[in-house]
Amino acid sequence: FVARRASQVSRGGLNVSTTRHLTGTSIPVDVDHYSDGWNIRDIGDFAKDEKYHIKTFNKISDKGLARFPTETYEVKPSEWDARNAHAILLRSHKLQESEIDVPVRAIARCGAGTNNVPVARMTELGIPVFNTPGANANAVKELILCGLFLGSRRIIDGINHMTDLGEKGLAKERVEKDKAMFGGQEIKGKTLAVIGLGHIGASTAVDAASLGMTINGYDPGLSVQSALKLPRHIKLCDSISSAISQADYISINIPYIKGENGTHGIIGKEVISHFKPNTVLLNFARGELVDSEAMKEFLDKGKGTYISDFPDDLLWDHKNCIILPHLGASTEEAEDAAAAMAADTIRDFIETGTIKNSVNFPETSLPDRTPGTIRMTVVNKNKPGMLAQITETFAKAQLNIVQQINHSRGDIAYNVLDIDPSTSEGEKVSLKDLQKELTTTEGVLSSRLVFGVPGAGYARNIEGEYWV
């Protein structure tokens, strides 16, 4: 982790009448308002003429980036100096820890998978990582439907054959005679097993059912939201084996999870033993989900088909394989939708403290703050007594917490608190000192004031050292 101290220089002559919360509700920043609250001398540090800096890797959709208002955000490509970045947006770039500097407070991937982001390390450092579930669901679903047809009608073999005949000047002569070489089957009336019924799986099930297919489904973590999207006559099974045993086609739509009880090689020899001899397996999820050696053994029998957009050193040239480029989300619409969702998620987090679609932080949302209050967020290790220590810091300063929320996920806990700065009974309270005391509490990783002009008010505790 690169720890560079981000300097913040106060400006004199603050125009207090224009200082605003990012939530849109004005707070008059003047001596009278803060005479019994925050020390007015601290306010300059939170009202500089700055913008939030968003660092991008890869080519991010312009339509998505347009969701950042230019008045308060500045978007720069990866060549830009990372020391000023407050958030990172990326697609396929494999993010290195050295590219994540102290001011970075959030990372968003324009896509569902986050295996190119060091999520575990970000959790240790208290940085939320977001993704965009469902943004590319329609694009991937359409490619799965395409795979159904490719696996049914020998279309690619036919195209290659006609190209060869065309080069020989025989295409017109043989176009009718050779069609019997490429006979296939219709998908209507056939059974499709959908393994994983999230955004993509549920959408695939609905459209395949509308094409006349019988649908078997399996998803041990099926959400109510996804269940409501399923076709009425789907058969929900209690295991992968029971879902696939009578299936003509199988679509895998589950995440790749490493380690014990993960999904690496989940479509292995035991599962494949339940395949029908002519089963078509569609894998547009992750290549590592399929045991290549077990799949090759199945394909060598001559009747089954494997279709995927992930390369495989063992299967790429097998006569019963169709391997495509990784095209699942490669549509203009999907890229626009993913970038827009990522931008909206980052904005919501930066401007209100809301956590949504995070892969390492708990879902958290506090209602809009009431006028005259200041919102703070605190990230801490999830261990007993932390919430009491955090609230005690405000109590010692005689500050009232108007509303708060505390959620945890694994090793991380996240707090959003709205503070009334006018309840310290006349005692001068230094904003800097309060935040420093709060952030340097053992177990606290960072704190942020959702207040003032963008970029200021963020503090971190990095191995016991205070960084602002």
Side-chain angles (χ1 to χ4, degrees):
F1 184 77
V2 179
R4 302 188 185 99
R5 190 178 299 276
S7 62
Q8 296 184 353
V9 181
S10 301
R11 290 189 177 185
L14 172 66
N15 183 354
V16 297
S17 64
T18 61
T19 303
R20 301 174 63 86
H21 266 279
L22 292 179
T23 52
T25 304
S26 297
I27 286 188
V29 181
D30 54 32
V31 175
D32 290 338
H33 182 77
Y34 283 92
S35 61
D36 59 350
W38 307 116
N39 189 331
I40 186 60
R41 290 175 297 179
D42 297 341
I43 296 301
D45 290 334
F46 297 90
K48 296 175 297 177
D49 185 17
E50 292 286 352
K51 293 183 178 182
Y52 280 114
H53 297 159
I54 309 299
K55 181 181 177 68
T56 63
F57 291 90
N58 311 119
K59 170 64 177 172
I60 307 294
S61 159
D62 290 336
K63 289 185 179 179
L65 295 179
R67 305 293 274 258
F68 291 112
T70 57
E71 296 82 7
T72 49
Y73 289 85
E74 186 169 8
V75 180
K76 294 286 187 178
S78 58
E79 294 77 17
W80 186 44
D81 186 356
R83 285 176 292 179
N84 293 323
H86 300 121
I88 292 174
L89 257 66
L90 75 163
R91 291 174 59 198
S92 59
H93 173 76
K94 191 169 182 61
L95 192 63
Q96 304 299 316
E97 191 175 332
S98 59
E99 297 170 316
I100 306 164
D101 212 273
V102 171
V104 172
R105 57 209 67 178
I107 299 168
R109 167 144 198 276
C110 303
T114 55
N115 57 329
N116 58 323
V117 178
V119 176
R121 180 58 175 154
M122 294 305 98
T123 305
E124 292 175 357
L125 296 172
I127 299 174
V129 178
F130 301 95
N131 66 350
T132 58
N136 63 358
N138 187 70
V140 178
K141 179 272 305 279
E142 289 185 358
L143 193 59
I144 293 172
L145 296 179
C146 176
L148 287 173
F149 296 116
L150 292 177
S152 303
R153 302 296 293 272
R154 298 192 63 189
I155 295 170
I156 293 177
D157 290 339
I159 291 172
N160 292 336
H161 181 69
M162 292 306 295
T163 300
D164 183 56
L165 290 178
E167 291 174 350
K168 298 174 181 177
L170 299 174
K172 289 184 177 180
E173 178 184 339
R174 302 278 291 277
V175 67
E176 289 293 336
K177 294 180 181 179
D178 290 0
K179 65 182 181 182
M181 298 168 57
F182 305 102
Q185 65 180 11
E186 297 180 13
I187 64 172
K188 184 177 181 180
K190 304 301 189 297
T191 298
L192 170 66
V194 182
I195 310 303
L197 295 168
H199 294 283
I200 296 169
S203 182
T204 298
V206 169
D207 282 11
S210 70
L211 293 171
M213 302 189 78
T214 298
I215 310 298
N216 292 346
Y218 171 73
D219 189 333
L222 181 63
S223 68
V224 174
Q225 182 182 16
S226 293
L228 293 174
K229 298 177 182 179
L230 295 175
R232 177 181 298 180
H233 299 296
I234 187 174
K235 178 184 177 181
L236 293 176
C237 303
D238 60 3
S239 68
I240 294 178
S241 298
S242 62
I244 66 175
S245 60
Q246 298 301 316
D248 304 291
Y249 302 84
I250 302 169
S251 177
I252 312 172
N253 309 284
I254 58 178
Y256 175 61
I257 303 172
K258 296 181 180 180
E260 188 177 355
N261 299 320
T263 56
H264 183 88
I266 192 170
I267 307 300
K269 191 169 185 177
E270 195 281 326
V271 170
I272 292 173
S273 69
H274 295 277
F275 282 15
K276 295 170 67 172
N278 62 343
T279 293
V280 177
L281 177 65
L282 307 163
N283 178 14
F284 295 97
R286 280 291 181 270
E288 297 90 343
L289 298 170
V290 176
D291 182 328
S292 300
E293 292 185 359
M295 179 54 58
K296 184 178 184 302
E297 183 179 340
F298 170 73
L299 295 175
D300 284 344
K301 297 175 183 178
K303 293 184 179 181
T305 305
Y306 179 56
I307 303 174
S308 178
D309 63 346
F310 291 93
D312 189 287
D313 292 339
L314 192 60
L315 300 173
W316 69 271
D317 62 345
H318 197 286
K319 64 183 180 66
N320 290 351
C321 277
I322 300 174
I323 305 298
L324 308 173
H326 187 47
L327 299 176
S330 295
T331 68
E332 182 178 345
E333 294 86 351
E335 292 177 5
D336 290 346
M341 183 182 291
D344 289 346
T345 300
I346 288 291
R347 282 195 62 192
D348 211 11
F349 171 72
I350 285 177
E351 298 177 17
T352 71
T354 297
I355 299 284
K356 183 179 181 181
N357 296 330
S358 173
V359 299
N360 64 335
F361 269 54
E363 296 274 318
T364 309
S365 179
L366 193 65
D368 290 346
R369 62 169 184 79
T370 57
T373 61
I374 292 176
R375 177 160 294 184
M376 292 190 71
T377 68
V378 181
V379 181
N380 62 272
K381 296 178 182 179
N382 185 21
K383 60 182 185 179
M386 287 303 305
L387 181 59
Q389 292 184 64
I390 292 169
T391 55
E392 176 63 21
T393 302
F394 293 102
K396 287 193 298 183
Q398 297 182 311
L399 294 174
N400 182 44
I401 299 174
V402 177
Q403 62 175 345
Q404 72 178 97
I405 189 169
N406 168 273
H407 283 172
S408 63
R409 179 176 178 177
D411 296 330
I412 280 290
Y414 180 68
N415 310 266
V416 184
L417 313 94
D418 286 349
I419 311 301
D420 183 350
S422 62
T423 57
S424 57
E425 300 180 0
E427 182 182 349
K428 294 284 187 180
V429 176
S430 170
L431 181 59
K432 285 182 179 178
D433 293 344
L434 179 72
Q435 187 172 25
K436 184 174 182 179
E437 180 180 355
L438 182 64
T439 310
T440 53
T441 300
E442 184 178 356
V444 172
L445 299 174
S446 67
S447 67
R448 183 166 66 94
L449 284 99
V450 186
F451 171 78
V453 173
Y458 184 58
R460 295 184 58 181
N461 183 342
I462 302 176
E463 298 179 353
E465 187 172 356
Y466 185 60
W467 295 84
V468 294

